[in-house]
Amino acid sequence: MVLKHRLDQARLGVLGLIVEAVTMDFRIFTEPQQGATYSDLLAAALTAEKSGFDGFFRSDHWLTMGENDGLPGPTDAWVTLGGLARETTKIRLGTLVNSATFRLPGPLAITVAQVDEMSSGRIELGLGAGWYEESTLLTEYHFLLWVNGSKF
């Protein structure tokens, strides 16, 4: 809790103090490329919402990492979030993070706007430069990494 002294004692009373509550959001983050179906993610999001968590976020990777086999296979972040937007009511939803190396800005903006509308304004978009080269090389967008012969 933060206490601030205030000169306007007539309005605030004899002590002249305002009490401000400091809040913290608690959010769930998932890595479904390591092996999760849409049904798994839906169950986790509904449980998180019922339990009082403030948000449910997922990565935007198409390949598993490390020793995990990643089965049953990858899921698309925005298809998943669109479904979750219709199945949940109050929890915030989003990505941590979308890679600029395989999500073109125009189509991504349209997708995010549509899913935000589907969720009644509960979407948060995380953007990043992209670090997992194997995912980028799977797409047709890997040429964007090179501009004038230097890495983008």
Side-chain angles (χ1 to χ4, degrees), residues 82-138:
L84 296 179
R86 304 304 295 165
E87 299 282 345
T88 59
T89 58
K90 60 185 177 185
I91 199 166
R92 298 202 54 82
L93 302 166
T95 55
L96 288 175
V97 298
N98 282 118
S99 173
T101 60
F102 59 82
R103 295 282 187 177
L104 291 176
L108 179 60
I110 291 167
T111 301
V112 173
Q114 185 171 10
V115 176
D116 190 53
E117 191 273 329
M118 292 167 69
S119 74
S120 299
R122 295 179 288 125
I123 290 296
E124 295 185 20
L125 171 63
L127 291 174
W131 64 272
Y132 195 55
E133 186 175 11
E134 287 82 357
S135 288
T136 300
L137 293 175
L138 281 178

Side-chain angles (χ1 to χ4, degrees), residues 35-52:
T37 65
Y38 173 77
S39 296
D40 295 333
L41 297 171
L42 175 59
L46 290 172
T47 300
E49 184 172 67
K50 183 179 177 184
S51 300

Side-chain angles (χ1 to χ4, degrees), residues 66-82:
E67 301 300 318
N68 191 330
D69 64 12
L71 295 176
T75 56
D76 181 79
W78 289 102
V79 172
T80 300
L81 292 171

Side-chain angles (χ1 to χ4, degrees), residues 25-29 48 53-57 91-93:
D25 287 350
F26 288 90
R27 299 168 179 219
I28 299 293
F29 173 68
F53 283 88
D54 300 293
F56 183 86
F57 289 76
I91 199 166
R92 298 202 54 82
L93 302 166

